[in-house]
C-alpha cells in the first residue's frame, strides 16, 4: 500500500460481543476477512470486541500488548495486508487491579502503528435506568493520538470520548482527517445521542467519522444501541447498519475533506489562545 492514498475504503464492523472470548474472536475474524474480501483498506472493530463483561463485575481478562490477542491481531493484519483497528481491548497494567481500555491501530505489515488509551471513563447513575462505573476497573489514559499513515492522519478515540468535543478539536488541530469512534453505546442513551453527537463531531471538525459499534443484548444486564455509521466531513451519513452484526463499507475521499475545509474555512478561525479564559 505504498504511497499516499487519495481515496480508500473503510470497513466498520458491528458485533454483539460477550464474555466468551474464543467465540468473539472467531466472529471478529470472520468479519475482518469478509471486509478484506470486499476491498477494505482498513477494517475497524468496535469497543470491547474481544471481551465484553457483565456490567458491575470485575474485568476478569486482560493481557499485555505482547500477549496472544495482540499477536493474533498483528498476524491477521499482516496476512491480509490491511490496516486493522482493534476498537478496544483490556490492556493489563502491571501490579494493578485496573486495566487500560486500549485501541490499537495495526498496519498491513502487522506492526503496531498507534496505541490509544481511553481518556474519558463512563461513570453514570441514571435512576431506574443505568448505573455504570468504568473507572472502578479501568484507568484513564492521558494522551490524544493521531496516527500518520498513507491513508491520511487518523484520530483515535473510544465511545464515551464522543461527549467531549475538546478532544476531537485537539485531534483535528494535530492534523486528523478521519476520526474513529469504536463504541459500545448503551441502548438507553443511544437513540437520543449517538447519531447527533457523531454528526456534530464530523461537522464541527470537517472530518470523516467512522464509528464501529456493539449492538444488541450482550447479557442480562447490558444492551448496546448499534447503528454503526460513517459520516463525511459535511455531516452527511454515507453508510449505516442499525441493528444487525455485520460489515459497513464506505469510501473515504480525502479530496472531499479538502473541498469542505476550503469552502468553509472555520478551522482556520479557531482561536485556542482563548481557551480557558471564561470568567477572566
Amino acid at each position: 500500500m505504498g504511497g499516499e492514498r487519495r481515496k480508500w475504503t473503510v470497513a466498520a464492523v458491528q458485533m454483539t460481543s460477550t464474555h466468551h472470548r474464543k467465540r468473539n474472536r472467531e466472529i471478529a475474524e470472520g468479519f475482518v476477512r469478509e471486509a478484506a474480501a470486499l476491498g477494505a483498506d482498513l477494517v475497524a472493530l468496535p469497543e470491547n470486541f474481544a471481551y465484553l463483561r457483565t456490567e458491575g463485575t470485575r474485568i476478569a481478562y486482560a493481557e499485555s500488548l505482547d500477549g496472544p490477542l495482540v499477536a493474533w491481531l498483528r498476524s491477521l493484519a499482516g496476512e491480509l495486508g490491511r490496516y486493522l483497528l482493534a476498537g478496544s481491548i483490556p490492556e493489563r497494567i502491571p501490579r494493578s487491579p485496573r486495566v487500560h481500555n486500549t485501541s490499537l491501530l495495526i498496519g498491513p505489515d502487522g506492526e503496531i502503528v498507534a496505541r490509544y488509551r481511553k481518556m474519558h471513563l463512563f461513570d453514570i447513575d441514571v435512576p431506574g435506568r443505568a448505573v455504570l462505573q468504568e473507572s472502578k476497573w479501568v484507568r484513564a489514559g492521558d494522551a490524544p493520538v493521531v496516527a500518520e499513515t498513507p491513508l491520511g492522519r487518523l484520530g483515535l478515540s473510544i465511545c464515551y470520548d464522543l461527549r467531549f468535543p475538546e478532544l476531537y478539536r485537539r485531534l483535528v488541530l494535530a492534523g486528523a482527517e478521519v476520526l474513529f469512534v469504536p463504541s459500545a453505546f448503551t441502548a438507553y442513551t443511544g437513540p437520543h445521542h449517538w447519531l447527533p453527537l457523531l454528526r456534530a463531531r464530523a461537522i464541527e471538525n470537517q472530518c470523516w467519522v467512522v464509528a464501529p459499534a456493539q449492538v444488541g443484548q450482550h447479557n442480562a444486564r447490558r444492551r448496546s444501541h448499534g447503528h454503526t455509521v460513517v459520516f463525511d466531513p459535511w455531516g452527511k451519513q454515507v453508510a449505516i447498519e442499525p441493528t444487525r452484526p455485520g460489515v459497513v463499507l464506505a469510501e473515504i475521499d480525502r479530496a472531499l475533506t479538502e473541498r469542505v475545509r476550503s469552502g468553509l474555512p472555520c478551522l482556520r478561525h479557531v482561536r485556542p489562545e482563548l481557551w480557558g479564559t471564561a470568567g477572566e
Side-chain angles (χ1 to χ4, degrees):
M1 299 176 67
E4 188 174 274
R5 301 285 297 276
R6 300 298 294 163
K7 290 185 178 181
W8 53 277
T9 300
V10 68
V13 174
Q14 186 153 276
M15 295 179 61
T16 308
S17 298
T18 68
H19 65 283
H20 295 292
R21 304 198 307 272
K22 183 174 183 293
R23 183 61 176 153
N24 293 336
R25 197 170 104 168
E26 290 171 349
I27 292 170
E29 179 168 344
F31 285 142
V32 171
R33 290 187 180 277
E34 177 186 343
L38 291 170
D41 299 291
L42 185 154
V43 185
L45 294 164
E47 182 184 26
N48 297 324
F49 76 92
Y51 170 72
L52 200 152
R53 66 190 167 95
T54 299
E55 187 52 48
T57 62
R58 71 182 184 89
I59 297 175
Y61 160 76
E63 63 178 63
S64 64
L65 298 188
D66 58 1
L69 176 61
V70 175
W72 166 72
L73 290 164
R74 293 178 62 182
S75 176
L76 183 61
E79 176 196 340
L80 297 174
R82 301 294 195 274
Y83 282 91
L84 179 56
L85 181 75
S88 81
I89 64 171
E91 179 193 355
R92 179 183 296 129
I93 301 173
R95 298 174 299 281
S96 174
R98 293 193 293 171
V99 305
H100 285 300
N101 190 351
T102 300
S103 187
L104 295 176
L105 179 64
I106 300 169
D109 57 0
E111 295 299 314
I112 296 175
V113 175
R115 177 192 65 199
Y116 168 72
R117 292 166 171 162
K118 188 176 183 182
M119 296 177 67
H120 300 95
L121 302 183
F122 192 44
D123 290 358
I124 65 162
D125 186 351
V126 181
R129 291 289 184 176
V131 179
L132 297 102
Q133 192 175 11
E134 189 176 19
S135 66
K136 183 175 181 178
W137 305 111
V138 178
R139 180 184 296 173
D142 58 8
V145 174
V146 175
E148 294 274 353
T149 79
L151 305 179
R153 291 172 293 279
L154 313 179
L156 305 187
S157 68
I158 301 173
C159 199
Y160 189 51
D161 286 332
L162 180 61
R163 294 184 181 275
F164 301 88
E166 63 274 14
L167 170 61
Y168 296 91
R169 182 49 51 91
R170 286 189 65 180
L171 292 173
V172 76
L173 292 181
E177 304 164 78
V178 184
L179 302 171
F180 286 89
V181 195
S183 297
F185 228 71
T186 69
Y188 174 62
T189 59
H192 308 285
H193 301 161
W194 173 244
L195 293 177
L197 286 170
L198 290 166
R199 187 166 188 245
R201 299 296 87 83
I203 292 169
E204 68 199 7
N205 294 297
Q206 300 177 318
C207 279
W208 294 88
V209 171
V210 179
Q214 293 282 354
V215 68
Q217 198 75 41
H218 307 286
N219 50 61
R221 298 175 60 184
R222 190 161 182 175
R223 183 175 180 84
S224 292
H225 177 59
H227 292 72
T228 288
V229 69
V230 179
F231 284 99
D232 76 11
W234 190 250
K236 177 183 176 183
Q237 179 183 292
V238 297
I240 190 169
E241 172 47 58
T243 60
R244 295 177 300 178
V247 175
V248 173
L249 292 174
E251 182 181 70
I252 304 295
D253 183 355
R254 297 174 72 183
L256 175 60
T257 309
E258 293 165 0
R259 290 196 299 272
V260 169
R261 292 180 175 184
S262 175
L264 186 63
C266 57
L267 293 177
R268 300 181 204 165
H269 305 149
V270 175
R271 299 185 61 187
E273 72 274 12
L274 299 180
W275 296 353
T277 61
E280 292 183 3

